[in-house]
Amino acid sequence: YLIILMPVSGFVQVGSAAAADRYSYLSTVPIFFLGIGSIITVSPYRDRPILIGSLFCLIFISIFSLTQRQIEVWKNSENFWARTVKFYPGSIPLARRNYARALLENGKFEIAEDQLKIALKISPKNPDILSDLGYLYIYLKKVSEAKVYLKAALEVNPFNLEALINMGTLEKNKKQLGPAQIYFRRALQIDKYRFDVYNYLGEIFVELRKYKDAEFNFKKAIALNSIAPDIHLNLGKLYFISEKSKEADRETLMALKE
């Protein structure tokens, strides 16, 4: 049992297991019970309950103190991944990538860019990291940089879902609606449950004034995720354009509720 437990215990790090620090306390619970039981069984002081009790109180206070320190680490994703990167600076690209994603969510774009580039140095052919850099540059409206990294990601793995979606988004933003459709449809061949891709296709068909196709894609997106306000709003705008005021009002109200 102990041998099997070693890779997930946190005591022995295997590959990216270092990134699982947040959950390691669950797998180490049996070890602590085993240790406590062993102490009670073999201790020459087992017949002195006050001494044994004091010892366990001390252990409990120590663990409680360590937990209080760890709470700051577990507070949010940015703190957690920053700590992982600190202890494993050059060996876990996943940690750098996740740290960068947390930074992106908090609007820290320059630091996120630096972290993704460091991750890329660790793993130069990682399509997920390349795609994330492309996504970052799309957000920063650096079109040429975004295209370079997204093309590189798809050269490594033509079936990388996020790279296909990001490339479709890039082409859509450039008003290259034909290529954008191709990338989005390739993405749906890999994952037909991506409601965001159906929404993007709906937006493309609105621009092309293919309103029936747009309605189909918006409804498909809503069927997969009925609580996304932006999709209801897009469908409401489509109904307004199509002079379906009742349906437009309904979808707008749905968007406001969400």
Side-chain angles (χ1 to χ4, degrees):
Y1 171 75
L2 290 176
I3 292 172
I4 294 172
L5 189 63
M6 280 296 180
V8 295
S9 66
F11 293 123
V12 176
Q13 304 294 346
V14 179
S16 60
D21 173 75
R22 181 177 292 181
Y23 309 105
S24 65
Y25 61 88
L26 293 174
S27 58
T28 53
V29 167
I31 291 178
F32 284 108
F33 277 119
L34 181 63
I36 290 168
S38 298
I39 291 171
I40 293 174
T41 302
V42 304
S43 173
Y45 302 104
R46 60 181 178 276
D47 296 327
R48 301 173 65 178
I50 295 177
L51 180 61
I52 294 293
S54 300
L55 174 62
F56 285 126
C57 284
L58 181 62
I59 293 172
F60 174 79
I61 292 170
S62 300
I63 293 173
F64 180 80
S65 176
L66 289 171
T67 300
Q68 290 300 111
R69 289 172 56 188
Q70 284 296 101
I71 285 174
E72 279 302 308
V73 176
W74 299 336
K75 187 176 181 180
N76 55 53
S77 293
E78 183 178 334
N79 287 5
F80 172 69
W81 291 113
R83 179 183 182 276
T84 306
V85 164
K86 178 181 177 182
F87 282 97
Y88 303 92
S91 58
I92 308 179
L94 172 67
R96 294 276 179 185
R97 183 188 177 215
N98 288 343
Y99 183 33
R101 287 191 159 197
L103 290 165
L104 279 173
E105 290 178 4
N106 294 327
K108 300 177 181 179
F109 304 116
E110 290 185 6
I111 306 174
E113 181 182 7
D114 291 340
Q115 292 300 318
L116 285 171
K117 286 188 174 179
I118 294 170
L120 196 60
K121 287 182 180 179
I122 300 169
S123 182
K125 296 293 184 179
N126 189 311
D128 295 322
I129 298 171
L130 290 165
S131 178
D132 283 353
L133 273 165
Y135 172 82
L136 171 62
Y137 288 129
I138 289 172
Y139 191 88
L140 296 176
K141 295 182 171 55
K142 295 183 177 181
V143 175
S144 58
E145 291 92 335
K147 191 166 187 177
V148 167
Y149 283 105
L150 291 174
K151 284 184 69 176
L154 290 173
E155 285 174 3
V156 176
N157 180 6
F159 302 101
N160 185 280
L161 179 62
E162 295 303 325
L164 288 169
I165 294 172
N166 289 336
M167 185 65 92
T169 302
L170 178 65
E171 297 293 350
K172 178 174 172 288
N173 291 349
K174 291 163 54 184
K175 303 299 181 182
Q176 300 295 317
L177 304 183
Q181 286 186 65
I182 293 172
Y183 285 115
F184 287 141
R185 293 195 184 283
R186 284 175 60 188
L188 288 175
Q189 288 176 350
I190 297 168
D191 184 355
K192 63 181 180 180
Y193 298 106
R194 287 297 295 256
F195 65 89
D196 53 337
V197 177
Y198 285 109
N199 186 49
Y200 295 146
L201 283 170
E203 291 173 343
I204 288 173
F205 286 125
V206 168
E207 291 195 47
L208 295 173
R209 298 186 179 182
K210 296 182 178 181
Y211 298 138
K212 287 186 178 180
D213 291 331
E215 182 181 10
F216 171 83
N217 281 280
F218 287 142
K219 285 185 173 180
K220 186 75 174 178
I222 289 172
L224 293 169
N225 184 359
S226 62
I227 62 173
D230 55 326
I231 305 174
H232 285 288
L233 193 59
N234 279 340
L235 186 54
K237 289 177 181 177
L238 173 62
Y239 284 140
F240 180 78
I241 294 169
S242 304
E243 298 182 350
K244 297 180 180 180
S245 57
K246 185 177 178 180
E247 291 87 345
D249 291 343
R250 182 192 69 216
E251 294 301 326
T252 303
L253 284 173
M254 288 292 292
L256 292 173
K257 284 180 182 179
E258 302 302 339

